[in-house]
Amino acid sequence: MTLTEKDSQYLWHPYTQHKTSQTPIAISRGEGALLWDENGKEYIDAIASWWVNPFGHSNKFIADAVYKQLTTLEHVLFGGFTHEPAVKVAEKLIEILPKNQQKIFFSDNGSTAVEVAIKVALQYFFNKNEKRTTIIAFENAFHGDTFAAMAASGISFYTQAFQGMFIDVVRIPVPTKGQEQASFDALTNVIQNHNCAGFIFEPLVQGAAGMVMYKPEALAKLIQICAANKVLTIADEVMTGFGKTGKTFAMDYVSEVPDMICLSKALTGGTIPMAITTFTQDIFDAFYDDDINKALFHGHTFTANPTGCAAVLASIDLLQTAEMQANIERINASHLEFQKKIENHSKVITARTLGVIFAVEIKSDSEESYYGAMRTKLYNFFIENGVVLRPVGNIVYILPPYIMTNEQLQKVYKTIEEAIEMV
């Protein structure tokens, strides 16, 4: 049997209706911004494999760091023990995070990073003998698939099977251009009418919603409203972190600072699953008590895995090189040029860019669903032409590895232009 036939026999894929979906493509190897399938066909990975590979596939610098760690200490339990790679990761992150972030908690992936943050927000007030049980989130947010993260997510088909089983979440509009005051008013109203523990948000860009973008000034105002009412703020930087918006973190654009930050995806350069949630000293202190019941009883078997920590350290080192920063600037300039070229196309509603993120919304005769006919037609067209892009309904986005060449970028742009003409 071929690899795809064996896959069909044994495997269950994420976000997939196996009865109607296309056969998955069997990838045999990757290098830089390229992937090759089992038949030797080449693909440009224009979304960094769900936003996790900013430095490309098979990156030797990260691989060497991982190998060195694997042959020194591959893993040790983090309950009652510690190790140098975890301490170094904490030191390195605290150097580059907003200055109020002082404590680092490890977990496994973006969903668990969010899960930890929401649990901490709720228990923070429980430990202070305050009844606060509501979490505030944006409309059409996506924060993950574990239960609290799923509850905070606003894309209905991800969560509809579990309605009635969630923690209390109230949604407010995203402060996109022209909707800023409506968002401010909604947040104020929610805080006045609910016992709110925390407000979670994707800073400046809502990824799974189709790269919906809003301004730093609007987010700063929302954080100010929360701070004035002692509502904890959670910046979900799982997608936006580590250079994607043009700065190390999206919060680097914002004048206010959050109480917690969630990190994953590009954290290890796409090599090993790992996540981190960071906290202020004040939050940590609410759990620091003679009463053991006030401890954070949350953990994962692979918490602070040393091999993953080695990958984190190598990834941050790569990100901070002059070459990688220049690549981010180059891709941003290229995106802006393409945006200018395409935004007035008769079939384009809007085009937008932030850092290495580009999105274009294509006109449609009908309201497009997330996994609707246009999305499938576009996806198939891109795959046929050797480009990995995953449209969100009628929105096509690019979020490439930072090492993608200008020639590869131009092929991606050309394929998108052809797709727009085709639909």
Side-chain angles (χ1 to χ4, degrees):
M1 287 194 295
T2 66
L3 199 56
T4 51
E5 288 170 338
K6 290 180 180 179
D7 176 284
S8 179
Q9 183 172 347
Y10 301 120
L11 300 182
W12 193 343
H13 287 258
Y15 309 119
T16 300
Q17 175 46 266
H18 279 268
K19 187 171 184 178
T20 58
S21 66
Q22 303 97 318
T23 303
I25 298 162
I27 298 298
S28 58
R29 67 186 182 96
E31 183 177 344
L34 300 176
L35 298 166
W36 288 268
D37 69 19
E38 62 181 342
N39 299 313
K41 182 175 177 177
E42 181 182 283
Y43 303 84
I44 298 175
D45 185 356
I47 59 168
S49 284
W50 268 339
W51 324 332
V52 304
N53 288 91
F55 314 113
H57 297 279
S58 304
N59 185 283
K60 191 174 187 305
F61 184 79
I62 301 176
D64 287 346
V66 166
Y67 175 77
K68 183 179 179 181
Q69 188 60 51
L70 278 171
T71 53
T72 304
L73 175 66
E74 80 299 337
H75 182 66
V76 65
L77 72 162
F78 211 56
F81 294 86
T82 192
H83 50 79
E84 186 178 33
V87 172
K88 283 186 171 181
V89 166
E91 289 176 331
K92 179 70 80 171
L93 281 175
I94 286 169
E95 280 179 13
I96 62 176
L97 284 163
K99 296 305 178 188
N100 68 334
Q101 299 299 298
Q102 294 296 315
K103 293 294 180 181
I104 304 292
F105 192 95
F106 288 91
S107 63
D108 296 352
N109 57 62
S111 294
T112 61
V114 168
E115 200 81 9
V116 169
I118 292 176
K119 287 178 70 174
V120 165
L122 296 171
Q123 189 177 340
Y124 174 88
F125 291 103
F126 177 86
N127 284 0
K128 290 175 174 290
N129 296 313
E130 291 186 46
K131 184 177 175 59
R132 296 210 188 186
T133 56
T134 298
I135 298 295
I136 308 161
F138 281 139
E139 295 169 354
N140 294 319
F142 182 77
H143 296 289
D145 295 327
T146 52
F147 247 76
M150 185 168 53
S153 299
I155 301 172
S156 62
F157 61 84
Y158 283 120
T159 62
Q160 61 189 11
F162 309 100
Q163 293 303 314
M165 307 176 196
F166 292 140
I167 59 173
D168 184 27
V169 175
V170 179
R171 304 196 185 284
I172 64 171
V174 183
T176 51
K177 188 175 181 180
Q179 294 298 310
E180 294 92 344
Q181 192 60 49
S183 185
F184 305 154
D185 292 344
L187 178 61
T188 302
N189 182 62
V190 169
I191 292 172
Q192 288 173 348
N193 290 284
H194 296 79
N195 294 318
C196 296
F199 167 43
I200 186 167
F201 52 87
E202 299 160 88
L204 307 190
V205 189
Q206 285 191 299
M211 302 302 167
V212 174
M213 299 179 186
Y214 62 99
K215 295 296 184 182
E217 296 77 14
L219 181 54
K221 177 67 174 176
L222 293 171
I223 294 172
Q224 288 170 353
I225 294 169
C226 286
N229 291 276
K230 296 183 170 52
V231 173
L232 299 175
T233 49
I234 305 166
D236 180 355
E237 292 250 19
V238 169
M239 187 275 284
T240 53
F242 302 103
K244 299 198 187 75
T245 63
K247 291 182 181 283
T248 303
F249 302 106
M251 289 305 303
D252 292 339
Y253 287 98
V254 184
S255 59
E256 301 295 324
V257 290
D259 298 296
M260 300 174 241
I261 300 176
C262 304
L263 304 170
S264 191
K265 289 195 183 290
L267 178 67
T268 65
T271 53
I272 294 173
M274 177 168 274
I276 284 171
T277 311
T278 72
F279 305 93
T280 63
Q281 186 67 41
D282 174 68
I283 290 176
F284 177 81
D285 288 346
F287 293 74
Y288 190 79
D289 198 279
D290 291 329
D291 183 356
I292 193 170
N293 293 312
K294 289 188 176 181
L296 176 60
F297 285 102
H298 187 101
H300 299 257
T301 305
F302 285 92
T303 291
N305 172 258
T307 311
C309 289
V312 172
L313 293 167
S315 295
I316 294 174
D317 284 347
L318 272 178
L319 178 65
Q320 293 179 326
T321 62
E323 178 185 4
M324 209 59 66
Q325 291 299 310
N327 281 343
I328 292 170
E329 291 177 10
R330 171 180 58 83
I331 292 171
N332 174 253
S334 184
H335 282 352
L336 288 169
E337 189 176 327
F338 181 53
Q339 177 181 332
K340 191 181 296 184
K341 176 182 180 182
I342 206 171
E343 61 188 353
N344 294 318
H345 191 288
S346 61
K347 291 187 177 181
V348 168
I349 299 172
T350 60
R352 48 191 177 268
T353 300
L354 181 63
V356 302
I357 305 167
F358 169 86
V360 57
E361 188 172 355
I362 304 169
K363 288 181 181 177
S364 173
D365 294 333
S366 59
E367 187 174 330
E368 283 299 319
S369 63
Y370 205 94
Y371 286 104
M374 179 181 278
R375 181 264 177 201
T376 301
K377 187 176 183 181
L378 287 166
Y379 175 79
N380 290 340
F381 180 83
F382 295 137
I383 291 298
E384 287 166 11
N385 285 274
V387 178
V388 179
L389 290 167
R390 287 180 64 90
V392 177
N394 63 326
I395 298 169
V396 177
Y397 71 86
I398 309 169
L399 206 165
Y402 307 155
I403 47 75
M404 183 174 281
T405 66
N406 289 332
E407 182 182 6
Q408 290 165 344
L409 268 174
Q410 291 305 318
K411 180 179 177 182
V412 174
Y413 298 151
K414 183 174 181 290
T415 306
I416 290 174
E417 288 184 273
E418 291 172 353
I420 292 171
E421 295 295 340
M422 177 266 301
V423 294

